Amino acid sequence: MMKFRFRRQGADPQREKLKQELFAFNKTVEHGFPNQPSALAFDPELRIMAIGTRSGAVKIYGTPGVEFTGLHPDTATITQIHFLPGQGRLLTLLDDSSLHLWEIVHHSGCAHLEEVLSFQLPSRPGFDSASGLPGLTRITVVLLVTAGDMAALGTEGSSVFFLDVPTLTLLEGQTLGPDEVLRSVPDDYRCGKSLGPVESLQGHLRDPTKILIGYSRGLLVIWNQAAQCADRVFLGNQLESLCWERSGSTLVSSHSDGSYAVWSVDAGGSLATQPTVATMPYGPFPCKAINKILWRNCESGDHFIIFSGGMPRASYGDRHCVSVLRAETLVTLDFTSRIIDFFTVHSTRPEDEFDEPQALAVLLEEELVVLDLQTPGWPSVPGPYLAPLHSSAITCSAHVANVPAKLWARIVSAGEQQSPQPASSTLRWPITGGRNLAQEPSQRGLLLTGHEDGTVRFWDASGVALRPLYKLSTAGLFQTDCEHADSLAQATEDDWPPFRKVGCFDPYSDDPRLGVQKVVLCKYTARMVVAGTAGQVLVLELSDTPSEKTVSVSSVDLLQDREGFTWKGHERLSPCTGPLPWPAGFQPRVLVQCLPPAAVTAVTLHAEWSLVAFGTSHGFGLFDYQRKTPVLARCTLHPNDSLAMEGPLSRVKSLKKSLRQSFRRIRKSRVSGKKRAANANSKLQEANAQLAEQACPHDVEMTPVQRRIEPRSADDSLSGVVRCLYFADTFLRDAVHHGPTMWAGTNSGSVFAYALEVPTAAAGGEKQPERAVEAVLGKEVQLMHRAPVVAIAVLDGRGRPLPEPYEASRDLAQAPDMQGGHAVLIASEEQFKVFTLPKVSAKTKFKLTAHEGCRVRKVALATFASVACEDYAETCLACLTNLGDVHVFSVPGLRPQVHYPCIRKEDISGIASCVLTRHGQGFYLISPSEFERFSLSARNITEPLCSLDVSWPQDSAHASHRLRESPKLSQANGTPGIILAPQSHDGSPDPICSKRSDIQELPEAMLSPMSVDSATSADTTLDTTGDVTVEDVKDFLGKARTIQLPATLLGAGTNGPWPLHVGPTCPARVWAWYLAELWGGLRAVLPMGSWPPPRPGATGRGQLGLPAHTTSHSTHHPSQLPL
């Protein structure tokens, strides 16, 4: 029989209101490089760039901080993107031959990238007999002509169709079929029975009526659209791409045999049999196709020829290269990933005679590389964003908040010394479109990522753009099996082709043992700990100058000579001997080697005590890096824990033990199933549930039924893995004297607490103390269900977490309360529990697994500031579960506050990579190269806020076509759009779009079971700003509850009570409008016949009784909207 325990009637409305001021879930921005890019475009007028992906996402970037995202409704690969220059609109082509028109649309003072129209082609010839377009098959190429109002579509069937872009409708009578082209071509120029697919379309820069058409079989035609005839005809080899020179007198074609040809357009006659120049740059042996070629002229008289591919097939057919040729200078840019597309940043103004390219941007499958074409040597330009986070696979990450300005400047300076810019280079990042309107961040945040190749990268995570600052490499300290020596870097002048390695994406690791597992940084002392896969623990400190020093090496045996255990995993890394040169930045000071050399699973640093603690699957140790001596080593292995001796890189598996464990699990499941079947009585349970539902009022809160949790076996494999380590100055021995302590939690639910004797001279002093640090076991706690311990934190007398080292002593944080009783919060995978200190008696707990059916994966104590009061903030416990949900609990009461769905439960790597910050934000990997940033705080939100000046044609019909009622539906991951400042042709800003609403509707939080019933009883502030549209009313009618209002309130003739629908999340302005309509006496201004309002079902327009001519896109003034 189900049992219920009544607590209180509903929840506190004031508390619910406070929750809305403290907590709000938003996915704000995506950091890093788009996963699997497939298309590239650049708007030379707005200076913005668009990248399309295989998943159908469109991402637009401008100056740092200007970025927003759109997502196609169907998951399809974007094959081409074309900007309508200067209009803030773009056309995308998908691999299913569908065209989509996107537009930056103004909505409530903000703008979003929104899909406006779409156009789908028939799937096969003759699919639509009524259309009369039998050649309309798969689209191969798109060309925008006449200022973007018309598009030419080249198809696989050799036809060229013309499309009206504002309406995405085919233009009748302008189709250019292959038969019409063949009639203008002599018999000698006909390439068989068909011309092949349309491979390229190029528009004339001077004469928009001329279009250059290239067919795959080699026929090139300059078609005069006005005269409907061919002006010039060329015949070459199998075609790959075309490019028209700026003046229109020369064109260049690239071919599948690795050659390119230059054709003269001004030569006499309409037929050209031979090109003026035909060359195979990397011949004479067979070469791969030149996929794309560009021709850019310069004022100096020479020109750039830039092409991709064309490498010798036998020798370098697997290379990904872009060749840049100017006069006699040829450079072969060698990349480590596949080339998607490239463009040049050059002058496009009609009055300019020359291109004068400034930069070359190459989009690769794994990174974006920009080269400075104005500086000799064509160096790379470091990007402020779109850096490849996965240049080496990410193995761990950490976030450091409120970085001091002095440390920040030192890290930036060290990063600038790593990649100095040439003195003659004046080019900055060329993609500078838009304006970033976001305020300067109040605090600077560092995101640290550890990588498989032994590097740690520092990223500026203060704003929208994730900017690389500094890279630390630990590989130079060890002797690896494969010394990294790139043969391309040693190329001489006589080598051919003249390869030059470009880009930083390098997925190959010299030695997997170099992988970084844990990173900890002390922001006040500039000390850092980096722990790796082979048990290496490095203590580093920041230096502003290069130095040459010998690193001290120590070993700590965690097995403590325990018998019966033999390490079967990888060997330890051999450190280099003697003095080693180190550049400016973080330089190693001490190397601690754990034995056996298993991967480090936990590490923590206390710079004030000069102590570092580390743990592996065998135990944990404590090391004094000031005296360079070990303090403590404790083995946590169980006698049956043989799997821990195999290591992560070992392939030795115990088949006998695996079978034994499998049969034990089967036996347990059968026994528990029999018990459940014996005790189950379905009819009795249904009757009890019905009685309980009838007897309990709905506004009374009930304790949810707890799940039965099976205790874990003590001999489970890997039970000795150390999951967390923690330093604290608290009461452990008695309630009078406090002192340094160290806490360790394991995979089997064991918690060890050690009292430390730290000499005062060691607390940050330079002089070594005479006495060594001592550690004495003070307490040992064993959790009942043996759930793995995820985190440990000590709370002071006020229930607040203790400050970080040096925060209290340097008056950077409020000193902890040492008068009241302390408590320790232990978070396991199944529950949170608070114990009093020093008695270690249970005070309060929350069983997350029993209540929610999930397990804890990540935990962090975060400070949530109120949006209503500047000085009010709460410290809460945020956790991420294995189902991808984020829960927030109060501290120390452990009362559920809110929970949100954050990550898909199937995304195991995303959940494992999540990092929660101290100010209510988080990061997790949505792909190997992208971090998704989210916020749990209603106040601390990092999101794009920017403006973009666009100019739309006066006759544009963009405002009349909408596919979506809410702009948020077109965002890929909740990423906001930009503020739009549209301009007319005279350059004046649009007065309508310059108004901005002050209303910010926050997403509704899924409240805990304690407060869900009173979510609608909180005080609602009425706000009448902003207009109410039909869409606003429809948004909340779908989840509305009916309120019966008396007939006298609505006026005579309503025939009884009229149901008024009010949703639980009804916007405040809708409430205000309803009250104004009911009480303001506005019936006289309503249209004739619309009052009194009809009863439900009186019309076909739903509960509002909308007129038949009213569409979902209509916008009415509040006094004119029919009720």
Side-chain angles (χ1 to χ4, degrees):
M1 180 175 179
M2 298 181 65
K3 296 181 180 180
F4 299 93
R5 177 162 55 90
F6 298 97
R7 294 182 178 175
R8 52 194 168 95
Q9 296 289 330
D12 185 9
Q14 294 298 328
R15 181 60 191 172
E16 297 304 317
K17 181 179 179 181
L18 187 58
K19 287 181 183 180
Q20 297 178 2
E21 297 172 354
L22 291 173
F23 312 112
F25 179 76
N26 293 282
K27 289 186 178 180
T28 55
V29 67
E30 296 171 2
H31 295 303
F33 185 78
N35 186 41
Q36 296 182 333
S38 58
L40 176 70
F42 179 68
D43 189 335
E45 295 187 21
L46 297 180
R47 309 281 288 194
I48 56 178
M49 176 183 66
I51 295 178
T53 68
R54 295 184 189 175
S55 60
V58 182
K59 302 191 176 186
I60 297 182
Y61 303 90
T63 194
V66 176
E67 57 183 74
F68 53 103
T69 304
L71 186 65
H72 288 85
D74 298 328
T75 302
T77 300
I78 301 175
T79 58
Q80 295 181 38
I81 302 178
H82 300 274
F83 272 106
L84 279 65
Q87 300 182 25
R89 294 191 287 173
L90 65 155
L91 198 64
T92 59
L93 173 65
L94 304 186
D95 58 355
D96 59 357
S97 289
S98 63
L99 285 169
H100 302 259
L101 180 63
W102 295 80
E103 188 176 296
I104 298 175
V105 179
H106 185 270
H107 180 82
S108 299
C110 188
H112 304 270
L113 182 65
E114 184 174 333
E115 183 182 349
V116 179
L117 288 172
S118 64
F119 175 76
Q120 180 65 53
L121 289 177
S123 58
R124 60 181 183 271
F127 178 80
D128 187 4
S129 58
S131 64
L133 303 174
L136 192 59
T137 57
R138 189 177 68 89
I139 298 177
T140 56
V141 64
V142 177
L143 170 67
L144 293 175
V145 294
T146 63
D149 291 338
M150 186 173 64
L153 310 179
T155 66
E156 208 171 35
S158 306
S159 299
V160 178
F161 297 89
F162 293 90
L163 193 74
D164 181 60
V165 173
T167 59
L168 283 193
T169 56
L170 288 174
L171 297 176
E172 299 292 339
Q174 297 193 25
T175 302
L176 179 60
D179 295 338
E180 190 173 356
V181 174
L182 288 174
R183 284 196 295 267
S184 303
V185 175
D187 295 339
D188 299 340
Y189 280 65
R190 298 185 180 184
C191 309
K193 297 182 179 180
S194 65
L195 300 175
V198 178
E199 200 69 38
S200 180
L201 291 173
Q202 297 291 325
H204 197 291
L205 298 179
R206 307 291 183 182
D207 188 356
T209 62
K210 294 183 179 181
I211 299 177
L212 175 61
I213 307 173
Y215 297 93
S216 65
R217 294 196 174 183
L219 182 65
L220 313 179
V221 177
I222 298 180
W223 185 261
N224 192 323
Q225 186 70 3
Q228 291 294 308
C229 65
D231 284 355
R232 293 297 305 272
V233 179
F234 311 91
L235 184 61
N237 298 328
Q238 185 172 349
L239 184 68
E240 291 291 330
S241 70
L242 287 172
C243 182
W244 214 329
E245 188 260 340
R246 186 180 185 90
S247 64
S249 60
T250 304
L251 61 91
V252 59
S253 61
S254 67
H255 305 278
S256 60
D257 59 355
S259 66
Y260 69 85
V262 180
W263 308 81
S264 177
V265 179
D266 296 336
S270 61
L271 304 177
T273 57
Q274 296 296 329
T276 57
V277 176
T279 181
M280 186 180 294
Y282 298 105
F285 299 105
C287 297
K288 300 194 72 174
I290 296 180
N291 301 313
K292 181 177 179 179
I293 192 166
L294 295 179
W295 177 298
R296 299 289 182 256
N297 57 11
C298 304
E299 190 175 3
S300 59
D302 51 9
H303 53 265
F304 281 92
I305 294 180
I306 306 171
F307 59 89
S308 62
M311 302 307 297
R313 187 178 297 273
S315 304
Y316 305 105
D318 57 343
R319 298 288 183 93
H320 311 288
C321 299
V322 171
S323 301
V324 182
L325 175 64
R326 182 178 184 182
E328 300 298 326
T329 303
L330 173 64
V331 174
T332 306
L333 305 175
D334 186 21
F335 302 98
T336 55
S337 58
R338 188 171 61 91
I339 299 167
I340 304 299
D341 202 353
F342 59 92
F343 65 84
T344 58
V345 179
H346 62 278
S347 173
T348 57
R349 294 178 298 180
E351 59 269 17
D352 292 340
E353 186 178 354
F354 302 99
D355 295 313
E356 291 295 339
Q358 304 172 5
L360 169 67
V362 183
L363 176 65
L364 308 166
E365 198 170 30
E366 306 293 349
E367 61 183 323
L368 177 73
V369 177
V370 177
L371 300 178
D372 181 5
L373 297 181
Q374 295 180 333
T375 302
W378 303 330
S380 299
V381 180
Y385 50 82
L386 286 179
L389 302 176
H390 63 316
S391 54
S392 176
I394 297 177
T395 52
C396 68
S397 54
H399 185 268
V400 183
N402 296 327
V403 179
K406 184 177 180 180
L407 175 61
W408 187 273
R410 295 178 65 188
I411 293 176
V412 171
S413 175
E416 291 174 349
Q417 295 182 46
Q418 286 183 334
S419 55
Q421 282 294 98
S424 58
S425 177
T426 59
L427 180 67
R428 295 186 177 181
W429 186 249
I431 304 166
T432 58
R435 293 191 304 271
N436 183 15
L437 302 181
Q439 298 180 354
E440 285 294 324
S442 58
Q443 57 91 17
R444 299 187 182 275
L446 273 177
L447 181 64
L448 310 179
T449 56
H451 298 264
E452 190 181 31
D453 60 353
T455 59
V456 178
R457 286 172 168 81
F458 291 63
W459 308 90
D460 179 7
S462 308
V464 173
L466 192 68
R467 183 167 61 99
L469 297 179
Y470 167 73
K471 183 179 77 171
L472 164 69
S473 178
T474 63
L477 182 60
F478 304 100
Q479 300 175 4
T480 57
D481 297 336
C482 310
E483 293 296 332
H484 184 68
D486 196 345
S487 59
L488 296 182
Q490 303 175 358
T492 62
E493 295 181 357
D494 298 333
D495 290 342
W496 183 261
F499 287 118
R500 176 180 144 198
K501 186 175 177 59
V502 184
C504 59
F505 177 73
D506 186 9
Y508 306 106
S509 175
D510 294 338
D511 196 325
R513 297 175 296 175
L514 293 172
V516 177
Q517 295 296 322
K518 297 292 177 182
V519 178
V520 177
L521 173 66
C522 177
K523 59 188 177 184
Y524 301 113
T525 60
R527 287 190 174 91
M528 185 177 180
V529 177
V530 178
T533 304
Q536 69 271 25
V537 179
L538 270 173
V539 181
L540 308 99
E541 58 184 359
L542 184 61
S543 176
D544 298 328
T545 58
S547 64
E548 186 173 344
K549 61 177 64 174
T550 302
V551 180
S552 174
V553 181
S554 299
S555 299
V556 177
D557 186 9
L558 299 180
L559 288 181
Q560 294 295 293
D561 299 328
R562 183 174 294 193
E563 297 180 356
F565 291 93
T566 303
W567 174 248
K568 303 175 184 178
H570 50 264
E571 298 293 330
R572 57 182 288 185
L573 285 167
S574 300
C576 299
T577 58
L580 298 174
W582 298 101
F586 282 93
Q587 300 173 354
R589 179 176 178 181
V590 180
L591 169 62
V592 183
Q593 179 63 54
C594 300
L595 296 176
V600 178
T601 57
V603 71
T604 186
L605 170 70
H606 201 294
E608 199 167 0
W609 301 338
S610 300
L611 295 176
V612 57
F614 45 86
T616 68
S617 57
H618 307 117
F620 56 89
L622 182 63
F623 191 84
D624 181 358
Y625 62 83
Q626 186 72 27
R627 294 175 57 89
K628 301 179 182 179
T629 57
V631 178
L632 170 69
R634 171 70 182 260
C635 182
T636 57
L637 282 178
H638 190 271
N640 296 331
D641 207 357
S642 61
L643 190 60
M645 305 307 297
E646 298 178 3
L649 302 180
S650 173
R651 298 188 179 183
V652 180
K653 298 293 182 182
S654 175
L655 179 61
K656 182 178 179 181
K657 183 167 183 175
S658 300
L659 291 174
R660 186 188 303 119
Q661 291 176 350
S662 300
F663 281 116
R664 283 178 181 174
R665 285 193 294 266
I666 295 173
R667 192 180 302 115
K668 285 182 179 180
S669 63
R670 288 178 177 175
V671 172
S672 59
K674 291 179 180 179
K675 291 181 179 179
R676 287 193 299 268
N679 298 330
N681 191 331
S682 59
K683 295 183 178 180
L684 181 60
Q685 288 183 356
E686 291 179 3
N688 290 336
Q690 293 178 0
L691 289 174
E693 186 176 357
Q694 295 174 3
C696 297
H698 291 282
D699 59 345
V700 177
E701 205 169 293
M702 295 169 293
T703 303
V705 178
Q706 297 185 9
R707 293 167 176 81
R708 183 165 171 257
I709 305 300
E710 296 276 348
R712 306 190 184 197
S713 175
D715 60 349
D716 281 347
S717 60
L718 300 178
S719 62
V721 176
V722 178
R723 295 290 296 270
C724 62
L725 293 163
Y726 179 70
F727 285 116
D729 185 358
T730 185
F731 302 91
L732 187 61
R733 294 177 175 175
D734 54 58
V736 179
H737 304 92
H738 63 87
T741 61
M742 187 195 76
W743 301 72
T746 69
N747 221 30
S748 60
S750 300
V751 178
F752 304 93
Y754 283 83
L756 307 178
E757 291 290 343
V758 181
T760 55
E766 295 296 333
K767 184 179 179 181
Q768 292 187 2
E770 297 180 359
R771 294 188 303 111
V773 180
E774 298 179 0
V776 180
L777 181 62
K779 305 288 182 182
E780 185 173 347
V781 180
Q782 178 62 56
L783 300 182
M784 183 181 301
H785 290 147
R786 299 183 177 274
V789 179
V790 179
I792 300 173
V794 172
L795 309 176
D796 65 1
R798 293 187 294 265
R800 299 176 180 176
L802 298 183
E804 294 183 8
Y806 285 108
E807 277 190 342
S809 60
R810 298 184 180 182
D811 296 330
L812 300 173
Q814 186 178 2
D817 183 8
M818 292 298 187
Q819 304 300 324
H822 283 199
V824 59
L825 170 63
I826 299 178
S828 71
E829 284 191 357
E830 296 179 357
Q831 67 177 358
F832 309 113
K833 203 165 188 178
V834 176
F835 298 87
T836 61
L837 291 177
K839 294 183 180 181
V840 194
S841 58
K843 184 179 180 180
T844 181
K845 64 181 176 181
F846 183 84
K847 300 179 180 179
L848 184 67
T849 302
H851 290 167
E852 305 292 339
C854 54
R855 297 187 183 275
V856 178
R857 288 292 178 260
K858 303 288 181 178
V859 170
L861 288 168
T863 301
F864 294 89
S866 172
V867 294
C869 181
E870 293 286 339
D871 301 329
Y872 184 78
E874 291 185 6
T875 299
C876 299
L877 179 70
C879 80
L880 176 71
T881 70
N882 64 328
L883 300 181
D885 298 334
V886 178
H887 297 251
V888 180
F889 300 87
S890 63
V891 174
L894 297 181
R895 294 175 180 169
Q897 302 300 305
V898 291
H899 73 276
Y900 309 97
C902 180
I903 311 175
R904 293 182 301 106
K905 63 181 180 181
E906 298 84 7
D907 189 3
I908 300 176
S909 61
I911 295 174
S913 65
C914 182
V915 176
L916 300 173
T917 73
R918 293 182 58 187
H919 297 285
Q921 295 194 21
F923 303 83
Y924 70 93
L925 287 173
I926 56 176
S927 70
S929 60
E930 287 177 291
F931 271 112
E932 176 76 70
R933 187 173 192 150
F934 64 90
S935 175
L936 304 174
S937 173
R939 181 175 172 182
N940 186 23
I941 302 176
T942 302
E943 59 184 353
L945 182 61
C946 43
S947 65
L948 186 67
D949 296 331
V950 300
S951 58
W952 287 320
Q954 293 181 353
D955 57 346
S956 176
H958 68 276
S960 61
H961 305 283
R962 291 288 177 270
L963 292 182
R964 284 166 178 74
E965 299 178 4
S966 173
K968 293 183 180 180
L969 294 179
S970 62
Q971 303 302 309
N973 282 291
T975 305
I978 63 171
I979 293 178
L980 183 66
Q983 292 183 350
S984 58
H985 277 288
D986 58 359
S988 59
D990 194 333
I992 298 178
C993 299
S994 62
K995 298 179 182 180
R996 187 179 181 188
S997 173
D998 295 329
I999 298 177
Q1000 295 182 355
E1001 296 181 16
L1002 302 177
E1004 181 186 9
M1006 291 195 303
L1007 304 179
S1008 63
M1010 289 178 55
S1011 57
V1012 68
D1013 292 332
S1014 62
T1016 59
S1017 63
D1019 296 337
T1020 303
T1021 303
L1022 297 182
D1023 190 350
T1024 58
T1025 57
D1027 292 342
V1028 182
T1029 63
V1030 175
E1031 287 81 7
D1032 293 325
V1033 180
K1034 280 186 174 182
D1035 286 341
F1036 71 89
L1037 280 183
K1039 43 184 178 180
R1041 63 181 59 175
T1042 303
I1043 300 176
Q1044 296 290 344
L1045 296 180
T1048 56
L1049 185 64
L1050 298 174
T1054 57
N1055 298 324
W1058 178 65
L1060 172 65
H1061 283 253
V1062 178
T1065 58
C1066 177
R1069 63 179 185 269
V1070 180
W1071 275 103
W1073 173 68
Y1074 266 115
L1075 294 178
E1077 289 288 342
L1078 295 175
W1079 297 97
L1082 298 179
R1083 288 176 293 174
V1085 300
L1086 293 175
M1088 184 65 66
S1090 63
W1091 188 271
R1095 295 180 58 83
T1099 66
R1101 300 290 299 171
Q1103 298 288 358
L1104 286 177
L1106 298 177
H1109 64 274
T1110 305
T1111 65
S1112 61
H1113 308 300
S1114 302
T1115 303
H1116 298 266
H1117 191 273
S1119 63
Q1120 298 175 351
L1121 184 65
L1123 195 58

